[in-house]
Each structure stands twice: as structure tokens, then as C-alpha cells.
Amino acid sequence: MTTLMTEKTLQEEVRGLAAARDAVILAHNYQVPEVQDVADYVGDSLGLSREAAATDAEAIVFCGVHFMAETAKILSPEKTVLIPDLDAGCSLAASITADQLRDWKAKHPGALVVSYVNTTAEVKAESDYCCTSGNAQAVIEAIPEEREILFLPDMFLGMWLERVTGRKLTIWLGECHVHAGIRPADIERWQAEAPDAELLVHPECGCASQCMAFANGRTHIISPGKMVDFARRSTKERFLVATETGIIHRLKKEAPGKRFEAVSERAICRYMKMITLEKLRDSLREWKYEVTVEPEIAERARGAIDRMIALG
Ligand code: SF4
């Protein structure tokens, strides 16, 4: 009871501060439920990028990880962008640096670089296109067949893209430790235990390519944003979800009355969970922590991000 009261009080405080300071709160699907509930908009990387580009607010408080706040800053350079905890990083984004990408490009002259949005601003500045899991297939298919494509940094998403597009990609061997940890054995167990359920799998998962072999009509390899649309429209009642467990809260809210279960309860991103209501309140109250991107880097990264949004 006391905890619920504290949470409600904090949420009211956050809303009051956001209104007073003309700040919009954007929260990623993997945020803790109490942060999702206080946000103006909850979504995946592509949806949040669109909101960041479109907002009229003076400031954006980004409840997500650092590269997402950087993307918001690149899209809205005139706005103040805050992140409630500067340590909210991403192991996938950290798997390639701009120097490593420059070396890789030098070994593949003429190739086009497609970077998943989970990259630093410096890496985006070295890229031709950005993509999210929601539009990665469309981005690859928009590139002429004869061009070599360097795809980074997620190898599982890259392998899945090779299978759905029939294109050969040159893939960086990075991975997200959360999604890579969802293994084929987790899926097989659930397939057996829940024969009535639809299976929703994020293409970053370590099992995604193998899941394509399940030609059973109830396995769907889709982005978190598309999972929400799918669950809303589906006539089915039960869903198994293979991605970070934070999405379950949003799915339950947006498709009420249906049953959602995580394929792996271990699929928790500790970086996403660094953002708490208290830190969000402090961020608004003390106007911290401001995220900045060097203008020259931002200008070069912007082209790749604009192409991602255009192909969304
Ligand atoms: S879930 Fe994986 S890709 Fe997403 S922020 Fe966490 S470490 Fe990065």
C-alpha cells in the first residue's frame, strides 16, 4: 500500500514537473512498468525516433538507453535532451566503435553500410543507412542487388535478414546479451507446453533464424512494435513472447484480456532497468543529465537516420 502510494505520488510529481518544464517523456518498451505508465509515449526505437522528431516540447526526457537519447538529440538538435541515468548503455551498441567500422569499410571498398539503430552517434556517422528491427528488411530490399552490404552490429538480426531477403550480407559479429540468451531450447520447451499459443520472437534473439524452421503458422518473427499490433488484431488469446520482458506490460495494456508470457524470465536488460521513477523525477527537477552530440558527427549521422525514418 505504502509502495503504491509512493509510486503514485512520484508519478504525479513527474507529471507536474514535465508540464512545468515543457518536457515530453519518451519511454522504451523495455522500461519498468511504473516509468512506462508515466510517459507521454511508449514505443520501440523507430516510434520513439519519430516522436522525438515531431515533438513541439522544449525538452525530451528519454527513458531508454544512451544511444536512443543521442538519436533524439540528432533529430532535435535545438531541444534539450535528458537521460535520467548516464550509465544506461547498451552492450550491443558497445560491440563496435567508429574506428573498428572505418577499418572494416577500408577492407570492403564500395560496400554500403547498414547499421542497426543500436549504435553510437559516431558509428551512425560512418553509416549509409540506419534501420530498426521494424524496417530492416525494407532497408535491405531498397539497396540495389549488386551492392555489397556491411550489416552491423547484431549478427542474429543479420542472419535473419539474410534468410528473409535472400541477400548475402557481410555481418559484424556483435550480439545483445539479453536476446542472444534466449536459446532454441527455451522456444522448444514453450512450443511443447503451450500448443494453443502464438509465438512472438524478436529477430535479435539467438533462436530467431532457427525459429524460421518452425513452419507451424503460429511463429512470428517481428519487431516489438509489430508484436503490439499483432496481439491487438489477433483473434488468439494466448501469446508467448521472446524479447526483453518489459514488453509484457505494454502488451497487457494494449491488448487487455489476453494472456502474455515471457519465453525466458531471464531476458531482462539491466541497462533499461537503470531508469527508475526517482531518477526520472530527479532528472526533471535538476535538469540532468544532458545528452549532447558533436555537431559535425550529428550532421553526418542524420542522413542515415533520416533514411531509416523514411523507410519506416
Ligand atoms: S536489450 Fe540488448 S540491445 Fe536492447 S538496450 Fe539492452 S543490451 Fe542493448
Side-chain angles (χ1 to χ4, degrees):
M1 185 71 175
T2 317
T3 315
L4 271 179
M5 287 291 290
T6 316
E7 192 176 294
K8 199 162 180 307
T9 310
L10 268 171
Q11 284 176 326
E12 282 167 6
E13 204 180 343
V14 165
R15 290 303 334 156
L17 284 162
R21 309 206 74 162
D22 192 18
V24 66
I25 301 172
L26 304 184
H28 192 268
N29 290 318
Y30 301 161
Q31 290 292 291
V32 293
E34 59 274 22
V35 168
Q36 290 191 31
D37 290 345
V38 84
D40 293 290
Y41 182 85
V42 181
D44 59 13
S45 299
L46 185 59
L48 295 176
S49 299
R50 287 212 180 93
E51 289 298 315
T55 184
D56 291 329
E58 284 292 312
I60 298 167
V61 186
F62 211 105
C63 299
V65 296
H66 193 265
F67 75 80
M68 295 176 178
E70 271 186 345
T71 306
K73 181 67 186 175
I74 293 165
L75 288 168
S76 296
E78 73 293 351
K79 297 190 192 305
T80 302
V81 176
L82 303 174
I83 187 165
D85 188 330
L86 270 179
D87 289 330
C90 167
S91 59
L92 180 56
S95 71
I96 185 165
T97 64
D99 279 344
Q100 286 174 312
L101 176 51
R102 280 188 283 270
D103 287 349
W104 202 33
K105 282 164 68 172
K107 290 182 186 126
H108 297 267
L112 284 172
V113 176
V114 178
S115 292
Y116 191 32
V117 70
N118 298 41
T119 45
T120 62
E122 288 81 2
V123 166
K124 288 186 179 76
E126 293 292 332
S127 305
D128 298 293
Y129 290 84
C130 268
C131 68
T132 66
S133 53
N135 72 354
Q137 185 176 347
V139 170
I140 298 295
E141 286 171 349
I143 295 172
E145 293 268 351
E146 65 279 9
R147 295 298 296 270
E148 182 186 8
I149 298 174
L150 303 182
F151 182 82
L152 66 101
D154 189 82
M155 64 174 162
F156 294 113
L157 181 58
M159 283 155 54
W160 173 77
L161 283 167
E162 283 191 321
R163 295 187 67 161
V164 293
T165 64
R167 296 279 293 268
K168 179 84 193 85
L169 306 177
T170 306
I171 299 171
W172 187 260
L173 298 182
E175 63 177 29
C176 155
H177 68 290
V178 179
H179 287 92
I182 301 176
R183 305 305 306 166
D186 294 319
I187 301 286
E188 280 158 20
R189 181 173 69 81
W190 271 108
Q191 289 277 91
E193 286 178 17
D196 57 328
E198 297 290 291
L199 176 64
L200 310 179
V201 182
H202 191 301
E204 266 178 42
C205 289
C207 57
S209 292
Q210 293 94 321
C211 279
M212 291 185 75
F214 299 156
N216 57 16
R218 66 186 181 102
T219 302
H220 312 275
I221 303 172
I222 47 183
S223 69
K226 288 182 183 161
M227 287 181 190
V228 175
D229 294 339
F230 183 90
R232 261 205 233 109
R233 285 201 312 269
S234 174
T235 53
K236 299 289 171 47
E237 292 297 317
R238 188 178 181 192
F239 302 84
L240 305 179
V241 183
T243 186
E244 213 273 354
T245 58
I247 189 80
I248 301 279
H249 180 69
R250 179 158 176 231
L251 286 166
K252 284 181 176 166
K253 271 177 89 165
E254 302 225 11
K258 298 186 177 180
R259 183 172 164 194
F260 299 96
E261 293 148 280
V263 159
S264 169
E265 292 293 346
R266 299 182 315 275
I268 294 172
C269 175
R270 67 187 172 86
Y271 302 109
M272 285 283 180
K273 299 326 189 214
M274 282 179 179
I275 311 293
T276 61
L277 265 186
E278 287 86 349
K279 288 183 193 170
L280 172 56
R281 186 265 322 271
D282 294 347
S283 176
L284 281 159
R285 197 162 59 184
E286 296 161 35
W287 220 231
K288 65 184 186 184
Y289 296 93
E290 190 165 348
V291 175
T292 55
V293 180
E294 288 287 322
E296 182 264 334
I297 299 281
E299 198 184 312
R300 288 198 287 130
R302 170 105 201 200
I305 296 169
D306 283 344
R307 271 169 234 132
M308 169 182 86
I309 292 177
L311 286 166

